[in-house]
Amino acid sequence: EAQVTQNPRYLITVTGKKLTVTCSQNMNHEYMSWYRQDPGLGLRQIYYSMNVEVTDKGDVPEGYKVSRKEKRNFPLILESPSPNQTSLYFCASKREVGVIYGYTFGSGTRLTVV
Amino acid sequence: AQSVTQLDSHVSVSEGTPVLLRCNYSSSYSPSLFWYVQHPNKGLQLLLKYTSAATLVKGINGFEAEFKKSETSFHLTKPSAHMSDAAEYFCVVSLYSGAGSYQLTFGKGTKLSVIP
């Protein structure tokens, strides 16, 4: 089944403890992206990647890192999480950078930082 | 600046009555527009998309949206609400961001409640 898989689905952590949220797609998609969803703010883009080793900042990149060492994986790294990073995170992918639609979203990761 | 505005943060309708969720966009180019739905504790699902073909777009579950360039609007409608329509709905615009890339910009969401 074609899908975007995020892990974990739920995570509670403490301030300052490094964590990684994984994202993997099995569709050979070129483009991948991370969003965070907060009540009343919709989804905001954190980082995106147009291909292997090509990443760029979205609208809210502060406090996050990403890497794209292989096409299928796009992990989101929080080096020193803070409570304001408590949010619902979505990973998404699409076949080509230049394609307008055709996004596939993961099921989300609910992160709580205490 | 290019953006998308959902005019209502919360809409409440009775079961069997029409649904109207409003969305306005601002774009220098001909936009591509989408509506996504998110049911409680679920991921995002594409309802419908407009990509410069027919201005009246039909989606899943009986939803429709009409692209009106003169009003810069892309409102989502359904003739008769069902309890299962209770969810959060996001209006989304796909914008050209340079280097041959298109990015999504989401509205802030409209929470739809359906009263039995």
Side-chain angles (χ1 to χ4, degrees):
Chain A
E1 182 189 350
Q3 60 186 356
V4 174
T5 304
Q6 294 178 228
N7 280 298
R9 290 292 308 275
Y10 302 92
L11 178 61
I12 301 174
T13 190
V14 296
T15 299
K17 185 176 180 183
K18 181 179 178 180
L19 67 91
T20 299
V21 183
T22 64
C23 174
S24 179
Q25 49 92 5
N26 61 0
M27 298 165 281
N28 201 36
H29 280 180
E30 194 172 79
Y31 175 95
M32 297 184 75
S33 181
W34 276 104
Y35 298 87
R36 60 177 288 173
Q37 181 183 6
D38 301 291
L41 295 177
L43 278 79
R44 295 175 293 167
Q45 191 177 48
I46 303 171
Y47 269 95
Y48 63 95
S49 169
M50 294 202 280
N51 215 324
V52 175
E53 302 291 2
V54 181
T55 63
D56 208 347
K57 296 178 181 178
D59 298 318
V60 288
E62 294 79 20
Y64 303 94
K65 284 174 59 176
V66 292
S67 69
R68 187 96 180 270
K69 293 186 170 58
E70 47 190 344
K71 203 169 188 179
R72 64 181 292 128
N73 295 323
F74 189 46
L76 180 69
I77 303 155
L78 285 73
E79 295 270 2
S80 183
S82 62
N84 65 12
Q85 293 178 297
T86 293
S87 187
L88 178 59
Y89 292 86
F90 286 99
C91 181
S93 72
K94 65 171 171 160
R95 180 169 47 87
E96 292 171 12
V97 167
V99 169
I100 294 171
Y101 54 89
Y103 287 81
T104 302
F105 282 85
S107 298
T109 296
R110 188 168 292 280
L111 171 66
T112 302
V113 183
V114 298
Chain B
Q2 301 176 96
S3 64
V4 57
T5 303
Q6 291 183 244
L7 297 162
D8 306 293
S9 59
H10 194 186
V11 170
S12 187
V13 302
S14 296
E15 192 176 16
T17 64
V19 176
L20 170 64
L21 305 183
R22 299 182 294 165
C23 173
N24 284 98
Y25 69 91
S26 169
S27 174
S28 304
Y29 309 97
S30 293
S32 293
L33 295 155
F34 310 81
W35 277 96
Y36 279 84
V37 61
Q38 184 181 28
H39 287 91
N41 299 313
K42 299 285 187 184
L44 292 155
Q45 181 182 19
L46 179 65
L47 265 184
L48 50 81
K49 61 180 182 281
Y50 166 76
T51 55
S52 76
T55 56
L56 181 62
V57 181
K58 293 188 185 301
I60 61 172
N61 300 334
F63 283 94
E64 294 185 344
E66 186 171 8
F67 173 70
K68 292 187 176 179
K69 187 174 181 179
S70 60
E71 298 176 10
T72 61
S73 69
F74 190 56
H75 301 335
L76 182 70
T77 61
K78 183 173 180 177
S80 175
H82 295 147
M83 295 299 296
S84 60
D85 294 328
E88 189 160 20
Y89 293 79
F90 293 95
C91 184
V92 184
V93 60
S94 179
L95 303 171
Y96 184 70
S97 58
S101 172
Y102 292 87
Q103 310 281 10
L104 295 181
T105 295
F106 285 76
K108 294 183 178 180
T110 298
K111 193 159 288 189
L112 175 66
S113 298
V114 181
I115 304 164

